[in-house]
């Protein structure tokens, strides 16, 4: 069957977003439910892909379909493109399946030429309006379709405004605008060597092509990478009859959210400008008015608008972000989409909508992106320190959260300085899509211009970065790299702090405090907990972290890295004594001194956990990591240990390894020095006994790291069992404990059936499994992995997001083999991937019993686990239907 490349708005519906893009599908949907939408047609995402497959050419069938659709639109509108009487003007907008704010480009007023501008004057009897539209079109077209920098045009505009002492664009007269049009056309000629296209059809095709091309511009690629949007989807193009918000005082244009996108409050939230055209509001060039003012200025339109937003929210069952234009007192809807929102707002809206009966709990759970929760878990400023700080200025609270850093004025600099480890605040007059990488690198963003829906605000909110926009009192000089306000000048590299929740900008660096989680969040997480059936534990190495983890809702400790206890000031000398001992006797003496400390560690941990499971991993890193490297420290350690410097250096040399991560570490240490694990096993048993005696329930799970062959585990299991049992016997106490292993070496995965014979549980150490599965050193891969992601070899860094095809297959093989030996073998994951949403989903699908991650990521892991379960249920019920 012939592929249909073009759909009229009357042909589509909202579920066609893959083909029509989000914008196109929703324009069609709004048309189908009878809302006032200027008509038009959508060129599909398949057409975009076809264009790329066809060596960046539109094939003849596509061109024919465009012709037909255009002819149909001309008939409907009773206007003709390029007419010298009553010309049809159109907008050309991109629209991918997922909304990508600011990533793609829009052209308005297409169809204006030296001839049709006369037609527009004729039909509107408004010369000023016609030339205003023409100059806007020349600039947008030249910039978007041809790539001529905007400032070439802005300079001309500013020059004329200055010359005439105008404050505002609205003061430009028709004659001024005609002069501007001529000058703009000259710019076009100078930049391209040819005259500005006077054939509207040619304009249209160039614009469509520009949208196709913009799918692959670097900014769009970065955005897709950051938001997990496949690079292969392609964008649709929407051609829509123009309506004008710049036709005088009874015209205007605006954007609105059906609920507050920062707080989630159920109240219309938006901005508009009278006598302005579409892009003026989002571009942040003029500061818009709050939507509430529309109630006074145009009460009937306001009421109609309210009704429409309510219809849309009910229809889509979600908060909507809409664009509208009022042309001479008539309201038109130009766009609707599910509104981007802060995590805090997302949770409140989801909970409220469940309570309002609009959506189910499951839908609420599915709607929140797990990674978005990072936002609410972000720190805020310490209130006491804020009181003592000096406020530099105040802007709009564009995206909540606190941030401080050194100010940089260009995106490139922000990227560069952040790479050097600096905390950076990006300060811009206003941001544009070119700044995206700088925004990613920055801790927060400040802009001097722009409203709550400006580029900076929308993008920062999506990223969960604090942003203060529209600081109109700041004079930002990007060239001189400084900000001035009154007498104060802040230069590049100096510190500022911002509170995106209230719009304050402070001088200097303000300390942060942890976030407090509100009631909506608690309710939401309780629903998540009800839904979820996979456990979520935390990685924690001490009682303090364990308590924090429990506060975040951890169901136990999935990994306690005992070596972290060794770095304590009091213990490190004892650890070093143990390491430098060159005979067993001396080593045991040192270990005896460490024992009470470790016993207390475990006792405290058990108490903090109060009956929850606790996986304690025995010593893992290579011993030399505990020894000093520089001369001064070696000197003082030798003194401390009462041995000669030469002796100590000799021992350090002996311990040095070429590849320590593949060397004498993990269970291999205990094969050589069983006394180390023996001391740790005793400490665990004694700590557990002490806690039990005090009535605290304990559930130690003793874990052996880096096992590659079952014999290692067999030997060490015996050692641990004998040691623990002896302690329990002596104390006359019985308590449940288990002995398991980490699975983090490929050989362990492929022989997991054998290893399972000696293990009560498996915990996947996916950091090492990734290292050893790929043969990428964990310590060195950072230097070259970015080349892999840039070249598209990896979508994501495999140390952050589990690489499922290879490393995931190893994991899945181990699960299968392990459970062939022991069908109920408990399994979890404790590598860094355990708090990463896509990995959690994968682990659920593989049948793991729990994931374990850092305390701050627990809610994320829980949500991902609940979503994975709902997804499975949905899949099963679809199968059964
Ligand atoms: C792992 O390898 O995934 C793990 C959890 O252990 P570590 O990071 O301590 O090597
Ligand atoms: Mg490991």
């Amino acid at each position: 069957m012939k592929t249909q490349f073009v759909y009229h708005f009357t042909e589509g519906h909202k579920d066609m977003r893959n083909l029509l893009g989000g914008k196109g599908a929703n324009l069609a949907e709004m048309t189908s439910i009878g809302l006032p939408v200027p008509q038009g047609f959508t060129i599909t995402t398949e057409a975009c892909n076809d264009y790329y497959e066809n060596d960046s050419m539109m094939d003849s069938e596509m061109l024919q379909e465009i012709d037909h659709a255009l002819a149909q639109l001309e008939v409907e509108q009773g206007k003709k493109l390029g007419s010298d009487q009553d010309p049809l003007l159109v907008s050309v907008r991109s629209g991918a399946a997922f909304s990508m704010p600011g990533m793609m480009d829009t052209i308005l007023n297409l169809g204006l030429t030296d001839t049709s501008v006369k037609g527009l004057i004729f039909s509107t009897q408004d010369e000023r309006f016609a030339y205003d539209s023409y100059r806007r079109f020349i600039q947008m077209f030249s910039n978007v379709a041809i790539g001529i920098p905007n400032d070439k045009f802005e300079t001309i505009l500013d020059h004329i405004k200055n010359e005439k002492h105008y404050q505002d664009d609205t003061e430009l007269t028709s004659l001024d605008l005609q002069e501007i049009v001529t000058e703009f056309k000259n710019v076009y000629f100078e930049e391209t060597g040819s005259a500005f296209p006077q054939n509207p059809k040619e304009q249209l095709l160039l614009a469509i092509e520009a949208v196709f091309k913009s799918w692959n511009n670097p900014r769009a690629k970065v955005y897709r990478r950051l938001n997990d949007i496949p690079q292969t989807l392609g964008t649709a193009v929407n051609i829509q009859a123009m309506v004008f918000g710049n036709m005088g005082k009874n015209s205007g244009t605006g954007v609105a959210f059906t609920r507050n996108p920062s707080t989630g409050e159920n109240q219309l939230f938006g901005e508009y400008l009278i006598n302005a055209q579409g892009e003026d509001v989002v571009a942040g060039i003029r500061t818009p008015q709050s939507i509430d003012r529309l109630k006074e200025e145009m009460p009937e339109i306001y009421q109609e608008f309210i009704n429409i937003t309510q219809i849309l929210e009910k229809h889509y069952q979600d908060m909507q972000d809409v664009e509208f234009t009022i042309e001479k007192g008539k309201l038109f809807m130009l766009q609707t989409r599910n509104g981007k929102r802060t995590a805090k707002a997302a949770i409140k809206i989801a909970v409220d909508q469940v309570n309002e009966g609009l959506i189910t709990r499951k839908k609420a759970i599915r709607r929140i992106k797990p990674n978005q929760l990072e936002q609410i878990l972000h720190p805020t400023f310490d209130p006491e320190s804020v009181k003592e700080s000096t406020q530099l200025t105040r802007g709009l609270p564009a995206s909540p959260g606190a941030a401080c850093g050194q100010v940089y004025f260009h995106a490139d600099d922000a990227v560069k300085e952040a790479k050097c480890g600096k905390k950076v605040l990006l300060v811009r007059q206003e941001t544009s899509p070119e700044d995206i990488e700088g925004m990613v690198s920055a801790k927060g963003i400040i802009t001097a211009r722009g409203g709550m829906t400006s580029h900076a605000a929308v993008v920062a909110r999506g990223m969960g970065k604090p942003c203060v926009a529209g600081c109109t009192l700041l004079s930002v000089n990007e060239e001189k790299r400084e900000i001035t306000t009154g007498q104060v000048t802040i230069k590049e590299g100096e510190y500022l702090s911002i509170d995106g929740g209230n719009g304050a900008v402070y001088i200097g660096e303000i300390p942060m405090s942890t976030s407090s989680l509100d009631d909506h969040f608690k309710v939401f997480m309780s629903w998540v907990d009800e839904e979820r059936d996979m456990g979520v534990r935390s990685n924690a190495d001490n009682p303090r972290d364990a308590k924090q983890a429990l506060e975040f809702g951890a169901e136990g400790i999935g990994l306690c890295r005992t070596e972290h206890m060794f770095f304590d000031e009091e213990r490190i000398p004892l650890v070093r004594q143990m390491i430098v001992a060159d005979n067993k006797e001396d080593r045991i003496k040192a270990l005896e001194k460490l024992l009470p400390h470790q016993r207390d560690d475990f006792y405290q941990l058990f108490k903090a956990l109060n009956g929850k499971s606790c996986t304690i991993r025995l010593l893992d890193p290579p011993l030399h990591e505990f020894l000093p490297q520089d001369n001064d420290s070696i000197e003082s350690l030798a003194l401390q240990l009462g041995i000669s410097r030469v002796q100590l250096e000799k021992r350090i040399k002996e311990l040095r390894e070429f590849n320590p991560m593949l060397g004498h570490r993990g269970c291999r240490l205990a094969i050589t020095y069983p006394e180390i694990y023996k001391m740790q096993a005793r400490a665990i048993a004694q700590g557990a006994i002490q806690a039990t005696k005090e009535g605290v329930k304990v559930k130690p799970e003793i874990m052996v790291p880096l096992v590659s062959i079952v014999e290692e585990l067999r030997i060490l299991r015996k050692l641990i069992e004998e040691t623990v049992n002896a302690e329990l016997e002596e104390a006359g106490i019985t308590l449940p404990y288990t002995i398991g292993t980490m699975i983090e070496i490929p050989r362990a995965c492929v022989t997991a059936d054998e290893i399972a014979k000696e293990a009560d549980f498996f915990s996947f150490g996916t950091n090492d499994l990734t290292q050893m599965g790929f043969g990428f050193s964990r310590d060195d891969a950072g230097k070259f992995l970015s080349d892999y992601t840039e070249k598209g070899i990896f979508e994501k860094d495999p140390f952050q997001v589990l690489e499922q095809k290879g490393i995931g297959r190893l994991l899945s093989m181990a699960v299968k083999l392990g459970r062939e030996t022991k069908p109920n073998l408990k399994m979890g994951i404790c590598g860094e991937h355990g708090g990463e949403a896509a990995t959690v989903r994968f682990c659920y699908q593989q049948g793991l019993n729990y994931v374990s991650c850092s305390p701050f990521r627990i809610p994320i892991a829980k949500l991902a686990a609940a979503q994975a379960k709902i997804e499975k249920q949905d899949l099963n019920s679809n199968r059964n239907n």
Side-chain angles (χ1 to χ4, degrees), residues 453-491:
T453 44
S454 63
H455 177 266
V458 171
V459 174
R461 224 178 277 135
M463 286 178 180
K465 296 226 173 200
C467 172
V468 177
C471 299
T472 44
L473 297 178
L474 288 188
S475 157
V476 173
N477 190 329
E478 288 167 2
E479 276 203 349
K480 279 172 98 182
R481 294 161 193 257
E482 60 178 28
I483 312 169
T484 44
T485 177
Q487 301 298 312
V488 187
T489 299
I490 304 287
K491 292 199 177 300

Side-chain angles (χ1 to χ4, degrees), residues 628-645:
Q629 302 300 329
D630 62 284
N631 284 338
D632 286 354
S633 317
I634 293 174
E635 185 83 52
S636 75
L637 179 62
L639 215 70
Q640 216 180 45
L641 297 177
I643 56 174
S644 76
R645 189 195 156 111

Side-chain angles (χ1 to χ4, degrees), residues 559 561 617 620 665 742 744 765-768 778 830-831:
L559 174 64
R561 291 176 163 106
R617 182 181 74 186
D620 184 42
R665 58 172 283 224
M742 292 195 69
E744 49 186 346
T766 43
N767 304 332
D768 273 311
R778 280 163 75 166
C830 63

